[in-house]
Amino acid sequence: MWQYALWGLVGAASNIGVVFLEASRRVKGWPWARPKGPGGGVYAASIIIQLSIASATTAAVSTTGIVANDFIAFGMGAAAPVVVKKVAKYVETLLPADDGDGRPQLDGGADDAS
């Protein structure tokens, strides 16, 4: 299982490399440099989080038998940040809305006039 997690890490690193090249071309320089970028610390934290998500996701999926070889683990790692982001957005739609005062609206936002 840990080998698949490593392949997932490598897959995520290759995905991050492609995103880095695209961002570098778009801003014509280092994508983290200010004023166009967030700064080096934020960029480094983003990379560490993406690599961690990919490794954990690939390790978890490899226990199910879906990951049959290293190539699938590599692809799983490359796709994991995107897939986890889409799943998180879906889960957010299932949660009750917040009406601004910290209390969730469980009734669709209708106020009771009693």
Side-chain angles (χ1 to χ4, degrees):
M1 178 180 83
W2 66 270
Q3 297 95 339
Y4 292 146
L6 284 178
W7 277 109
L9 181 77
V10 172
S14 66
N15 184 16
I16 291 170
V18 170
V19 170
F20 169 78
L21 290 175
E22 291 172 351
S24 295
R25 288 183 184 152
R26 185 178 63 247
V27 299
K28 298 186 181 13
W30 299 113
W32 58 78
R34 293 189 178 162
K36 296 180 183 178
V42 174
Y43 196 78
S46 166
I47 289 173
I48 291 170
I49 290 169
Q50 289 182 52
L51 293 174
S52 300
I53 287 171
S55 298
T57 303
T58 306
V61 172
S62 70
T63 62
T64 64
I66 295 172
V67 179
N69 57 40
D70 298 338
F71 183 71
I72 293 173
F74 178 86
M76 192 72 178
V82 175
V83 171
V84 170
K85 183 178 177 181
K86 289 192 182 290
V87 169
K89 282 187 178 181
Y90 174 72
V91 169
E92 284 179 359
T93 64
L94 300 176
L95 296 175
D98 186 6
D99 63 359
D101 64 357
R103 296 180 310 174
Q105 293 179 344
L106 299 177
D107 60 354
D111 290 332
D112 289 336
S114 46

